[in-house]
Amino acid sequence: MALAPTVAAAPPETPQRVDAPDLRIFVFGLFFIFGGITSLNDVIIPKLKDLFTLSYAQAMLVQSAFFAAYFIMSLPGAAIVKRLGYMRSAAIGLLTMTAGCLMFIPASQSGQFPLFLLALFVLASGVTLVQVVANPLISLLGPPLTAHSRLTFAQAFNSLGTTIFPFFGAIIILGGLATVDPATLSGAALDAYRTAETQVVVRTYLGLAAALVIIAAVVWTRRHRLTNDRSDDVSITRAFDLLKRPRFAWGAACIFLYVGAEVAIGSLIVNYLMRPEVMGLAEQDAGKHLPLYWGGALVGRFIGAWLLRLVSPGKLLATVAAVAIALLALSANSGGAIAGWTLLGIGLFNSIMFPTIFSLASEGLGKRAAEGSGLICVAIVGGAIIPPLTGSVADASNLQMALVVPALCYAVIAGYGLYARRPLVR
């Protein structure tokens, strides 16, 4: 992406700051929920890959369907937030997530892979709206100088969700894999087999739907908690003006690359650890290692929340991106436990990337924070594009060679960290 240095950044606008510790707890809860639900994709990918006899590239369509919602729904989500306010929008997002969970019922009964993709798209549409709410809201709940640290701390709860959900998801969903080879079935027998085997997926998402309805009801009772968080001046296309700011535009591009790299690695971990030349684990055992990848991000975000008060966010971002590249290179060029553990270890260094890129790109947006959040959330569509690209490389060569794709993503992120090492907000 070409960034013209002659385009001057607009002067920072002064946002309204809110001192509401109880709302910070609420936002932490939102991060936990949408993080956990997103990470379940890594568990259902090997399940659906087996049931529908998919290639790596086809299996990655799970991530494409999910993250495509960010591309389509983020700017409308930002318009909803500006029109209805943070709390009402969060409730709507939670109910949309509930609808997506319920759609797994007809998807299972049909035994058709595209209907699972549709259910994931609706679920992700709700997640998108919740995330458009959560990111700028946590930035407003405190002083601007600690926004990097505060958002990183909030993202730690996102990582807590991504650590807990896959562990139990692997036990419930992958633990029930049958010994029947679906490639040996056809017609009605194959449809019946797929319907039966996907019931564990349905039950998992029905449990989530029940929890989401309760949370949405609680959020709705607090819809009057914030004042002056709505605006009648809503224009979806106006947000694109922010791309004239080089710092914001490059940051949005890095969100695209970061999410794509993180999701691609997480999606391949189960199959990667099952490879005989890596760790040769059984499917469920490999799935139980997945929380270590996301758990590394959890630990790293608590550490990062402290480090970001001491070190330039841009320099720290460049450092962790460089380490991620080194770990990918080591994993791709080794075997056995070293190859497996170095790939899992990347989660620790992913930890601060999203919140740091987001807050660096959002510095100085002020009252346009919701628009900026919506546009940055559009960039999360990287999770729909980079994983299938990585899967295609894996299909054409092998999983080790496919790690080149996320490595290139991290290289661009390292460059952005150096570019944005000086703060706009003082």
Side-chain angles (χ1 to χ4, degrees):
M1 177 179 295
L3 299 175
T6 56
V7 179
E13 302 175 50
T14 304
Q16 178 186 8
R17 299 290 163 181
V18 182
D19 184 15
D22 58 318
L23 285 186
R24 284 197 289 270
I25 296 174
F26 156 72
V27 177
F28 295 157
L30 291 183
F31 275 100
F32 174 81
I33 292 166
F34 67 69
I37 288 177
T38 302
S39 67
L40 278 181
N41 292 348
D42 298 336
V43 176
I44 66 172
I45 281 175
K47 178 75 171 181
L48 297 180
K49 183 177 186 295
D50 176 75
L51 290 177
F52 294 97
T53 58
L54 306 172
S55 68
Y56 285 115
Q58 290 171 328
M60 290 296 189
L61 291 175
V62 166
Q63 301 291 20
S64 295
F66 192 91
F67 286 95
Y70 283 93
F71 180 76
I72 296 171
M73 298 303 300
S74 289
L75 290 180
I80 291 171
V81 173
K82 291 192 71 176
R83 175 77 68 179
L84 301 180
Y86 288 113
M87 306 304 283
R88 290 175 175 82
S89 299
I92 293 171
L94 290 165
L95 291 176
T96 305
M97 292 164 65
T98 302
C101 290
L102 295 176
M103 288 180 64
F104 278 87
I105 299 175
S108 174
Q109 292 175 343
S110 72
Q112 299 297 312
F113 182 56
L115 287 183
F116 282 96
L117 299 182
L118 178 60
L120 286 164
F121 175 82
V122 175
L123 173 61
S125 296
V127 172
T128 300
L129 181 53
V130 170
Q131 190 157 352
V132 171
V133 169
N135 286 325
L137 183 55
I138 195 64
S139 296
L140 293 176
L141 297 177
L145 282 177
T146 57
H148 301 287
S149 174
R150 195 164 53 254
L151 184 54
T152 299
F153 186 77
Q155 286 278 343
F157 289 87
N158 178 283
S159 296
L160 181 62
T162 61
T163 302
I164 293 174
F165 279 54
F167 178 79
F168 291 103
I171 294 173
I172 296 169
I173 296 174
L174 297 182
L177 282 170
T179 57
V180 177
D181 184 359
T184 63
L185 303 175
S186 62
L190 179 59
D191 291 340
Y193 169 76
R194 287 171 173 168
T195 299
E197 285 297 302
T198 52
Q199 285 304 301
V200 291
V201 178
V202 172
R203 287 193 291 269
T204 300
Y205 283 91
L206 283 179
L208 289 173
L212 289 169
V213 168
I214 295 171
I215 297 169
V218 173
V219 172
W220 186 253
T221 62
R222 299 172 65 80
R223 62 189 182 278
H224 300 299
R225 180 66 178 82
L226 293 175
T227 58
N228 300 322
D229 65 337
R230 288 180 284 173
S231 172
D232 293 329
D233 179 21
V234 178
S235 173
I236 294 178
T237 58
R238 180 173 177 262
F240 287 100
D241 291 343
L242 295 174
L243 293 176
K244 295 177 181 178
R245 307 183 185 193
R247 188 185 183 99
F248 179 85
W250 194 353
C254 285
I255 289 290
F256 176 95
L257 296 172
Y258 163 71
V259 174
E262 180 192 49
V263 171
I265 293 170
S267 300
L268 292 175
I269 280 176
V270 173
N271 292 106
Y272 193 83
L273 298 183
M274 291 171 61
R275 301 290 298 175
E277 66 272 20
V278 182
M279 296 175 74
L281 298 177
E283 192 156 25
Q284 185 180 10
D285 292 333
K288 288 181 179 178
H289 280 70
L290 188 58
L292 298 177
Y293 174 70
W294 298 110
L298 170 64
V299 173
R301 279 171 177 161
F302 282 117
I303 297 172
W306 171 70
L307 284 176
L308 285 166
R309 294 174 178 264
L310 307 174
V311 182
S312 162
K315 292 179 181 177
L316 189 59
L317 175 63
T319 300
V320 295
V323 174
I325 295 170
L327 290 174
L328 283 168
L330 181 58
S331 182
N333 292 282
S334 61
I338 293 177
W341 287 109
T342 49
L343 191 67
L344 290 168
I346 292 171
L348 177 64
F349 298 93
N350 278 340
S351 57
I352 71 153
M353 290 192 195
F354 185 96
T356 304
I357 296 169
F358 182 92
S359 54
L360 285 172
S362 300
E363 282 184 358
L365 295 188
K367 294 181 180 180
R368 302 190 68 183
E371 295 172 57
S373 178
L375 199 54
I376 286 177
C377 283
V378 170
I380 294 177
V381 74
I385 297 173
I386 302 297
L389 176 61
T390 308
S392 296
V393 175
D395 289 330
S397 53
N398 54 56
L399 287 176
Q400 283 85 352
M401 182 62 67
L403 298 182
V404 170
V405 177
L408 293 174
C409 296
Y410 289 130
V412 178
I413 293 168
Y416 179 66
L418 295 176
Y419 169 81
R421 65 188 181 276
R422 293 185 180 87
L424 288 178
V425 178
R426 301 183 182 278

